[in-house]
Each structure stands twice: as C-alpha cells, then as structure tokens.
Amino acid sequence: LFNPNNTMDMWREDSDAPWAIDKLAQNDHVVGLKSFPSLSHTPLNDPKYFPYYELAIRHDIPVLLHCSASGSDYSSAHMIRQVCTQYPNLKLVLAHFGGLNVEYMQKAVALAKEFPNIYLNTTALDPDRVKRQVSNASYSRSVKPVEQSKEQIRTVFLDALATIPHKILFGSDLGYYPP
C-alpha cells in the first residue's frame, strides 16, 4: 500500500517513498501495489503517483486502485482514462468493480472494454451487505445501507462477464467484510 499525499511536502513514511516501494518490488513475493486515493486525499492522476506507476511497469506488477462510491474526486473514470492513456503498459485493477455505484461500475466496465490494461475485481459486490466507510478526516468507520439494487449490480456484472470475462478478478475484502 502506498499513499502519496498532497498535503505533505515529504512522504508520510519512508516506507511510502517510491525508492522504498521500488526496493520492495524487487522481492519475488510482491505481486502488486495498492493505493487508496480517497484516503490519502490525492487524485490518482496526480503527478505524485507517476513514480509508482513507472516502477510498477518496470517490475511488471499491477496497481490495485481502491475505487469507492464516494471517492470520485480521487478515482473517477476520467482520471483512470488519463492514467491509462499516459501509461498504456500500466496494469490497473479497479477495486469494487470501479466503485460500488452502478454508474461508476458501468464506466469501469466501459474502460475495461476500451483499455487492454484495465481489470476489475469483485470485492464487496454483495448488494445485501451494509456499506462500511472509513472517514477521510478521522479514519473512523461508519455503516450505511447499499443504495444499489441487487438487480442493477447483477446487470452490470453479467454484462462484464459476457463481454470481458478475462478481465474480472475474484476478490472478497475478507477481513473487512465478514464472509
């Protein structure tokens, strides 16, 4: 997990610095990087991300981007398009099928159809669950019902399954959501 942050002149931790992540990525056990743009208050198309994208390309590992229904200021489809255009060899995995919001999910599926380097994961797609949010200000958790219907989510998922099955990755968020 790396977290560039627009509010800091230096990296929050030395372990978040690109040179430290680059060193870790040389380990055979590192299979990818993850970032949580809305938690670090840094849009994914911010130049602070570019060194991480470049090292992911260099090490041939994907970047998992946390996408949330409330995080469009930090991980919108427009930003994802910009990053994929600038870094066509960067493998991106969009968590939560692009955002646990039917509109965001539809845009993510369209991006995955358009760009060969975009993948979607299924974490937290269960519409029967409650939505757990982490506050960007206090890092406290809150719970609220999911606003999308089961049928809406199923429709988007089945479209993706029919058209881009090779780009759907199973994920559970186990540990955050109970099985």
Side-chain angles (χ1 to χ4, degrees), residues 114-133:
E114 179 181 349
F115 290 96
N117 54 327
I118 292 182
Y119 300 84
L120 308 170
N121 84 16
T122 62
T123 53
L125 277 185
D126 180 7
D128 291 330
R129 66 171 170 69
V130 293
K131 182 179 178 183
R132 301 179 194 285
Q133 286 184 296

Side-chain angles (χ1 to χ4, degrees), residues 135-155:
S135 164
N136 288 341
S138 65
Y139 300 106
S140 61
R141 290 185 179 189
S142 64
V143 176
K144 69 180 198 176
V146 173
E147 297 170 7
Q148 315 300 316
S149 77
K150 186 180 283 191
E151 192 56 41
Q152 290 172 305
I153 291 172
R154 182 180 298 131
T155 299

Side-chain angles (χ1 to χ4, degrees), residues 68-81:
S68 67
S70 57
S72 64
D73 291 343
Y74 303 101
S75 58
S76 71
H78 175 72
M79 293 175 202
I80 294 165
R81 177 181 304 287

Side-chain angles (χ1 to χ4, degrees), residues 68-106:
S68 67
S70 57
S72 64
D73 291 343
Y74 303 101
S75 58
S76 71
H78 175 72
M79 293 175 202
I80 294 165
R81 177 181 304 287
Q82 287 178 319
V83 170
C84 286
T85 300
Q86 186 169 348
Y87 294 100
N89 295 319
L90 175 66
K91 296 174 193 158
L92 288 178
V93 178
L94 307 182
H96 314 305
F97 236 69
L100 296 179
N101 168 303
V102 169
E103 178 188 348
Y104 298 164
M105 292 169 65
Q106 290 168 332

Side-chain angles (χ1 to χ4, degrees), residues 154-172:
R154 182 180 298 131
T155 299
V156 175
F157 179 78
L158 290 176
D159 170 55
L161 188 61
T163 56
I164 52 169
H166 59 289
K167 296 185 135 206
I168 299 173
L169 308 174
F170 173 77
S172 68

Side-chain angles (χ1 to χ4, degrees), residues 22-42:
D22 190 48
K23 186 174 180 179
L24 280 173
Q26 294 173 32
N27 182 323
D28 289 341
H29 300 307
V30 174
V31 296
L33 303 177
K34 178 181 179 180
S35 188
F36 200 143
S38 59
L39 194 59
S40 63
H41 304 278
T42 308

